[in-house]
Amino acid sequence: MGGRIRRGFIGESTGSLLSSFLGGLPTTAYAQNVGLLRLTRSGSRYPVIWAGGILLILGFVPKAGALLGLTPGAVIGGLFLPAAAGLFMSGISLLMKMERTEANFTVVGVSLLLAIALPGNVSGLTGFWGTLLTNAILVGACSVLLLQLLLVKLPERFRKRAQLP
């Protein structure tokens, strides 16, 4: 399994590099794919290959692009909703597997609250701190890492050192 994941990362990195060289945006595998996997129960790569081929062909047909551009935002949101719900539930199921300690509950709770509340309250910041603190994903990820270090990992290390003779 590790080899497949490594080759997947290499393929995605190569695709991003080629896309950037050709003047496009870097490609990425979005987390919504997890939600789509749960929704469709299809782990096969062949539907993705077919969809990619169809989209590649349609990319050379301007009328098809114009037709897709007419899709109302509400329809796109409705199509995205089941995938987002699956992704959300995957995250909840991961949280249910974590060790139930006060430190872990504090890390998760404070990080979620910061990710929800902080970006809206510091929207006037600019520069590095503005970029960091106004992005909910960055706030959540950084606060999880920092709080995990401060509230879980460091106390564990101090406890282990105190137990050594």
Side-chain angles (χ1 to χ4, degrees):
M1 185 66 149
R4 287 181 66 190
I5 292 173
R6 192 172 20 260
R7 288 191 300 273
F9 281 133
I10 290 170
E12 185 171 350
S13 301
T14 304
S16 290
L17 189 66
L18 287 173
S19 177
S20 298
F21 276 134
L22 295 174
L25 296 172
T27 59
T28 186
Y30 291 102
Q32 292 91 332
N33 295 339
V34 174
L36 287 174
L37 273 173
R38 291 187 82 134
L39 183 68
T40 62
R41 294 189 180 114
S42 173
S44 175
R45 65 180 176 263
Y46 297 112
V48 175
I49 292 171
W50 275 99
I54 290 169
L55 290 174
L56 187 63
I57 292 168
L58 289 176
F60 291 107
V61 181
K63 299 280 185 191
L67 184 64
L68 287 174
L70 293 174
T71 307
V75 172
I76 292 171
L79 292 171
F80 174 72
L81 194 60
L87 176 63
F88 181 75
M89 291 312 298
S90 293
I92 295 293
S93 68
L94 279 175
L95 288 175
M96 296 303 293
K97 293 177 185 175
M98 78 175 183
E99 185 181 353
R100 288 172 172 77
T101 64
E102 288 302 317
N104 283 344
F105 285 143
T106 302
V107 167
V108 170
V110 170
S111 297
L112 283 172
L113 287 174
L114 285 173
I116 292 168
L118 191 61
N121 289 314
V122 295
S123 59
L125 285 177
T126 58
F128 172 78
W129 291 110
T131 302
L132 178 70
L133 296 177
T134 57
N135 185 319
I137 294 173
L138 283 175
V139 169
C142 291
S143 61
V144 161
L145 294 173
L146 183 65
L147 291 172
Q148 182 74 13
L149 178 70
L150 293 175
L151 298 178
V152 178
K153 297 300 180 186
L154 285 177
E156 282 177 4
R157 181 170 284 182
F158 286 134
R159 263 187 254 120
K160 286 180 183 177
R161 281 191 182 171
Q163 291 174 355
L164 292 175

